[in-house]
Amino acid sequence: MRTRATDGRRAAVLGSPIAHSLSPVLHRAAYKELGLGDWSYDRFEVDEEGLPGFFGELGPEWAGLSLTMPLKRAVIPLLDEITETAASVEAVNTVVFTEDGRRVGDNTDVPGMVAALRERGIEAVDSAAVLGAGATASSALAALARICTGEVVAYVRSAARAAEMRQWGERLRIEVRTADWADAAQALRAPLVIATTPAGTTDALAAAVPERPATLFDVLYDPWPTNLAARWSGYGGAVVGGLDLLVHQAVLQVEQMTGRSPAPLDAMRSAGEHALAAR
C-alpha cells in the first residue's frame, strides 16, 4: 500500500479518549526527519457513532489515519479492503487512502510486536504466556503465531474470556491453553511473557518474578516502568515495553502513509521518550 507523497498531505489519530495519544509526537518526528515539513498529523476525539460522519468529510489531501479504541472494529464496514493481518484479528489500526481513492485497512500492531521482539533478539520461542484476554491479547496471539513453535498459555479471569482466547487460537492456528488468573504467577516462568492488561493489573505479580526471568513484553508505556517490569529488569530479565510497540507499529504506519521507507525509528523513539519524560 502506498499513497502519493505529494505536498500538504494530512493524517491523524482517531479514538475516544484520545488526548493521551503519543501518535502525533511520533508521526510528526518522522515527517521532520523525512523532510515532509508540509505534512500534518493531528488527533481527533471520535467515537463509534461519529466515525462515519468523520469519514464522510475527508478530502483528497488525506493520506491516512491511525485508529485506537473503540474504533478498530467499527471502522471495518467503512473500508474498501482490509489486509490479511487485519482480518486475522478483526481489528484495523491503520487506514491508508490510496492514489485511486480506495480506503485500505491494516493492522500494524501485530508486525509491530514481532519487530519489537526481534529488536531485542527474540526471533523464536518454544512456548509463551499471555496475561489478559482483551483486544491486545488477540494481537499478541497473532504475533506469537509467527514466532512461537509450541504452546501459549493465556491467563484470564472468566470462562467466557477463556473460550474467546481458545477460539482466537484456533483461528490463528496456534495452540492456546487457558488458565485461571489466580494462577498467573506461574506465567512468569515462561520463556516469553506478554502482559496485555490495564495499568495496575499486574502489580501484585511483581513479587512472584523468578530470580532468573527470561523476557517480558509489557504493552503499557504510561506509567512506566510498571511494577512488574521494574522487578523483572531488576532481576536481569529482558523487558520490551509499550513504547517499543508504539514506535514499531507507528514506523509501519508512516511507511504506508508516506510511501517513504525506512521510517526514522530512532528519531521517533527519541521523540516518544522525551514526550513521556515531560509528563
Side-chain angles (χ1 to χ4, degrees):
M1 289 179 295
R2 181 184 177 111
T3 59
R4 303 182 303 275
T6 56
D7 296 339
R9 303 304 301 279
R10 297 189 66 185
V13 59
L14 315 181
S16 183
I18 201 62
H20 68 287
S21 175
L22 277 181
S23 292
V25 171
L26 303 182
H27 284 252
R28 290 168 186 169
Y31 296 166
K32 182 178 180 180
E33 288 292 313
L34 293 170
L36 300 174
D38 51 0
W39 280 55
S40 65
Y41 189 100
D42 302 296
R43 64 166 67 91
F44 293 96
E45 182 84 16
V46 179
D47 59 16
E48 294 174 84
E49 184 178 352
L51 188 61
F54 187 93
F55 263 72
E57 296 177 359
L58 298 179
E61 75 276 14
W62 282 88
L65 296 170
S66 308
L67 300 170
T68 186
M69 299 303 290
L71 305 178
K72 292 184 179 183
R73 290 184 179 170
V75 73
I76 293 176
L78 304 176
L79 304 176
D80 298 302
E81 177 188 347
I82 64 173
T83 64
E84 183 177 343
T85 299
S88 73
V89 290
E90 296 181 356
V92 166
N93 77 329
T94 307
V95 176
V96 174
F97 301 101
T98 65
E99 191 167 353
D100 59 2
R102 299 171 69 250
R103 302 167 173 178
V104 181
D106 192 17
N107 186 303
T108 64
D109 286 331
V110 175
M113 283 187 175
V114 174
L117 287 166
R118 184 177 295 122
E119 185 179 33
R120 302 301 176 87
I122 309 298
E123 299 278 353
V125 292
D126 56 15
S127 63
V130 174
L131 300 174
T136 306
S138 62
S139 292
L141 287 182
L144 288 170
R146 302 184 180 192
I147 67 168
C148 184
T149 59
E151 181 184 69
V152 176
V153 183
Y155 291 81
V156 301
R157 293 187 180 277
S158 70
R161 289 292 196 179
E164 288 177 7
M165 290 297 280
R166 289 193 295 269
Q167 289 171 1
W168 279 117
E170 291 176 4
R171 178 169 183 165
L172 294 164
R173 298 180 181 178
I174 184 170
E175 183 182 357
V176 175
R177 177 168 63 87
T178 54
D180 192 273
W181 183 263
D183 298 321
Q186 297 178 13
L188 308 186
R189 299 187 179 279
L192 172 61
V193 181
I194 304 182
T196 70
T197 53
T201 306
T202 62
D203 285 355
L205 295 176
V209 174
E211 290 187 4
R212 295 183 179 180
T215 300
L216 170 69
F217 193 156
D218 194 325
V219 302
L220 295 173
Y221 63 84
D222 188 16
W224 186 261
T226 63
N227 286 356
L228 180 61
R231 177 66 67 92
W232 198 278
S233 60
Y235 278 150
V239 175
V240 183
L243 183 60
D244 298 307
L245 169 59
L246 193 65
V247 170
H248 277 283
Q249 64 84 26
V251 160
L252 297 170
Q253 290 184 334
V254 168
E255 292 174 352
Q256 291 188 23
M257 293 179 192
T258 68
R260 303 286 189 89
S261 183
L265 172 67
D266 291 341
M268 294 169 70
R269 191 198 307 276
S270 178
E273 290 172 346
H274 280 93
L276 287 176
R279 293 183 181 180

